[in-house]
Amino acid sequence: PPPPPPPPPPPVPALLSPPPLSALLETLNRRFSDGHPTNHLADAGLLLRQFDDSEDRQRPWRGCPHGARFPPDAGNECRIYGNRLSASIIYAGMSERRFH
């Protein structure tokens, strides 16, 4: 007799809805207030993405285009920092720290 047919694929999970705005704000506020110096990004505070002409000017949220050739509308800094994004980590206790 022929082998049995393979089992059907598992069902596709339902798409999750984004959290309510109040939950998102609570998370952002908690990360800001509880942030501290650490190598663990989730505990460090808020990561703010900055736009500083080191990204593709047509699609700045994407950063620099990949590859050695950059289109004319790519920021000049792409040629130097092509695999990086400008960002800062901030948290409430930063003003209390002393930097030397």
Side-chain angles (χ1 to χ4, degrees):
V12 176
L15 295 176
L16 298 176
S17 299
L21 185 57
S22 60
L24 176 61
L25 293 175
E26 182 178 313
T27 299
L28 292 174
N29 285 330
R30 181 179 40 76
R31 284 190 176 191
F32 181 75
S33 63
D34 295 347
H36 58 275
T38 179
N39 290 330
H40 190 250
L41 189 57
D43 295 334
L46 295 177
L47 179 68
L48 303 180
R49 169 74 163 92
Q50 299 164 209
F51 299 101
D52 65 352
D53 198 32
S54 66
E55 56 273 325
D56 182 335
R57 291 185 184 134
Q58 296 300 313
R59 295 175 300 261
W61 59 92
R62 294 182 67 190
C64 290
H66 292 290
R69 303 186 81 191
F70 300 106
D73 59 342
N76 186 42
E77 299 296 311
C78 282
R79 288 163 182 78
I80 301 169
Y81 305 112
N83 64 346
R84 295 169 179 88
L85 294 173
S86 279
S88 292
I89 294 175
I90 63 168
Y91 58 91
M94 289 180 76
S95 62
E96 299 168 6
R97 291 185 45 86
R98 301 283 184 231
F99 297 96
H100 301 283

